[in-house]
Amino acid sequence: MKAFPAIVDSKDSVEIKLFETEQEQISAMKAGQRRLILLNVPSPIKYLHSNLPNKSKLGLYFNPYGKVLDLIDDCIACGIDKLIEEKGGLVWESEQYEQLKEHVRAELGDTVVDIAKQVETILTTAFNINKKLKGKVDFTMAFALSDIKAQVESLIFKGFATECGWKKLPDILRYMKAIERRMEKLPIDPNKDRLHMLKIESVTNQYKELLNKIPKGMAIPDNVKEVRWMLEELRVSYFAQQLGTPYPVSDKRVKNAIESC
């Protein structure tokens, strides 16, 4: 019988468990190694409080997305993931672990400050979007505004920085900026917005079908996760072309990516 051992996150401690597949092992090990390091290096919260600009502090402390400590924990976890990746990813030997731990100890404060600044800017932009969504809604724009609300909720949630990853934070801000552009243009031509939405809806439904084929409990493969981000880039290309996308994207390209998964 073959099994795959991993360090598992138990919040206040870690433990070792065996898994049936290598994919489950890697998924558990990422969270477990992050927790093991976090338990063995000083907390960066004091450093964060001293070095974060007042504007960013206000944005984090008065955010409408849950408790501030949960948000700070999210920034710290995201920062540790970044530092682990910088050193080449997961380590499996004690000597490598000690080197990784010292790297995190030295760099975590500044890394978390940088991530917290980005998170604050994202939250502030999202807060302004949500403010505009409240109040009386013109019937011709109701469908689009409902879609925007759902989009914001899919991008910003408890633990979004860690789940999406540090590399995606600038993209998430760009998606928020694209939403703002869309809302500016929406009253001018709601029909054009609706046509774009129908195309997005069509490929999104295909993506949901793809997700439904993944066995329950199994981690989402990287190529499937990439399709999720392609859908966000498709929105940028339709509603805020001037912001640009990192690669050419169209509904046809997204459909091809879904079919190849």
Side-chain angles (χ1 to χ4, degrees), residues 2 50 56 75 83 102 157 168 180 220 249-250 260:
K2 195 172 184 180
S50 301
S56 298
C75 293
L83 294 169
E102 291 311 308
F157 47 86
K168 279 288 165 195
E180 288 184 322
I220 298 171
V249 65
S250 64
S260 67

Side-chain angles (χ1 to χ4, degrees), residues 177-186 239-240 242-243:
K177 297 288 183 188
I179 291 171
E180 288 184 322
R181 298 286 173 93
R182 180 184 180 186
M183 292 178 82
E184 286 167 12
K185 293 192 283 188
L186 183 58
F239 302 120
Q242 61 273 47
L243 292 179

Side-chain angles (χ1 to χ4, degrees), residues 9 15 17 19 21 26 47 64 70 82 101 108 134 147 162 165 170 180 188 194 200 202 235 243 245 257:
D9 180 4
E15 55 186 313
K17 281 188 178 178
F19 293 89
T21 67
I26 298 296
Y47 186 89
D70 289 340
K82 179 178 190 255
K101 186 179 76 176
L108 188 57
K134 289 172 183 171
D147 173 65
T162 306
E180 288 184 322
I188 301 162
R194 174 76 173 169
I200 290 167
S202 171
R235 288 175 175 275
L243 292 179
T245 58

Side-chain angles (χ1 to χ4, degrees), residues 129-130 133 141-155 176 178-180 182-184 186 193 197 235 239:
I129 289 167
N130 284 328
L133 290 173
M141 299 190 292
F143 182 80
L145 295 177
S146 172
D147 173 65
I148 287 167
K149 185 173 184 292
Q151 184 189 0
V152 172
E153 287 171 356
S154 75
L155 289 167
M176 292 293 128
I179 291 171
E180 288 184 322
R182 180 184 180 186
M183 292 178 82
E184 286 167 12
L186 183 58
D193 188 281
M197 251 322 299
R235 288 175 175 275
F239 302 120

Side-chain angles (χ1 to χ4, degrees), residues 19 32 68 84 113 125 173 182 219 240 251:
F19 293 89
V68 69
I84 289 173
V113 168
T125 310
L173 179 58
R182 180 184 180 186
D251 56 330

